[in-house]
Amino acid sequence: MSIVMNKSITILFAIIGIYWIVSSLTQQGSPLLFIPGILSLIVACSQLPITSKINQYAEKLFLPVLLYNLVLTFYQVYFSSFALLNRITGIELGIFILNLIFTLSLIYLLLQTLRRARIDIS
């Protein structure tokens, strides 16, 4: 499967990677969020000209990292919606909207990737 990453995909993965790392370091999420943050940054950094060796691994990591980020952001939207039912604060509303934007962006990216690439599951 050949993935063509443009700047918007690279920026999306970089922002999500930084978001997971900051969430894990500030105790807003599980410390295990550090791992998908690093993987998202590896996929995002694969487009830099100095990382030709990383590019072959990042292409193989693209779909699994995309799916894992989608599951994580969807869970965050689900959890934030229940938190908003109990109390409405600015930070909870901001986290909900941010995760909803991430989820919708990742769904769109997944659909575009699956439309372009032929995936053999046999």
Side-chain angles (χ1 to χ4, degrees):
M1 175 169 69
S2 176
I3 304 298
V4 177
M5 288 185 53
N6 56 19
K7 285 186 179 183
S8 61
I9 295 172
T10 303
I11 291 170
L12 178 66
F13 272 93
I15 290 172
I16 290 175
I18 292 168
Y19 177 67
W20 293 137
I21 291 171
V22 168
S23 292
S24 69
L25 293 177
T26 60
Q27 309 273 324
Q28 294 299 320
S30 170
L32 296 175
L33 288 177
F34 193 76
I35 296 167
I38 294 295
L39 291 175
S40 295
L41 287 177
I42 288 172
V43 171
C45 290
S46 69
Q47 297 305 306
L48 296 175
I50 58 172
T51 57
S52 61
K53 189 72 171 169
I54 294 176
N55 196 8
Q56 65 181 347
Y57 299 117
E59 186 173 314
K60 293 177 183 177
L61 282 175
F62 177 77
L63 193 59
V65 171
L66 172 68
L67 291 172
Y68 195 66
N69 281 330
L70 181 62
V71 168
L72 286 175
T73 57
F74 184 75
Y75 173 75
Q76 292 283 35
V77 168
Y78 176 75
F79 185 73
S80 294
S81 66
F82 281 112
L84 284 174
L85 290 176
N86 292 332
R87 65 190 188 293
I88 296 179
T89 60
I91 191 90
E92 289 292 333
L93 188 61
I95 289 172
F96 175 77
I97 291 171
L98 182 66
N99 283 310
L100 186 62
I101 290 170
F102 284 157
T103 301
L104 294 175
S105 299
L106 290 170
I107 288 172
Y108 176 76
L109 182 60
L110 177 65
L111 292 175
Q112 291 298 318
T113 302
L114 292 177
R115 192 183 88 197
R116 278 190 217 132
R118 297 194 188 283
I119 299 175
D120 185 23
I121 58 171
S122 60

